[in-house]
């Protein structure tokens, strides 16, 4: 029926699919579809981050050398990776 939309998200930890039945005109259904797809992706990524927290690249996070103001310096400062 009109307003039936399927959205899906795929990430490193799996995938999710949702069926929606949305009311409204074409523009409203499109906006709601995009919002639902982004929410689905956000929940997938959030769950993935909870399962595998990021690790520091470069110097050990416990390294106390630096400027003393809490900010990191040098190449790779502030970069995160899995």
């Amino acid at each position: 029926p009109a307003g039936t939309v399927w959205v899906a998200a795929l990430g490193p930890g799996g995938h999710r699919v949702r069926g929606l039945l949305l009311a409204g005109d074409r523009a409203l259904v499109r906006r709601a579809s995009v919002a639902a797809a982004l929410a689905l992706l956000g929940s997938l990524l959030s769950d993935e981050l909870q399962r595998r927290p990021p690790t520091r690249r470069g110097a050990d996070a416990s390294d106390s050398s630096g400027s003393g103001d809490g900010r990191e310096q040098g190449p790779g400062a502030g970069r995160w990776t899995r």
Side-chain angles (χ1 to χ4, degrees), residues 1 22 35 51-52 69 72-73 82:
L22 304 170
R51 280 195 297 274
R52 290 195 278 169
D69 64 356
E72 298 178 79
Q73 298 177 357
R82 288 185 193 260

Side-chain angles (χ1 to χ4, degrees), residues 25-50:
D25 64 7
R26 182 182 293 264
L28 185 60
V29 169
R30 283 182 180 176
R31 283 194 299 271
S33 299
V34 169
L38 291 173
L40 190 64
L41 178 60
S43 70
L44 181 71
L45 293 174
S46 177
D47 289 351
E48 178 65 22
L49 287 174
Q50 289 176 7

Side-chain angles (χ1 to χ4, degrees), residues 6-10 15-18 36-38 40-41 44:
W6 288 89
V7 294
L10 175 66
H15 68 279
R16 295 201 178 141
V17 179
R18 296 288 183 266
L38 291 173
L40 190 64
L41 178 60
L44 181 71

Side-chain angles (χ1 to χ4, degrees), residues 63-69 71 73:
D63 184 4
S64 61
S65 63
S67 64
D69 64 356
R71 292 183 287 171
Q73 298 177 357

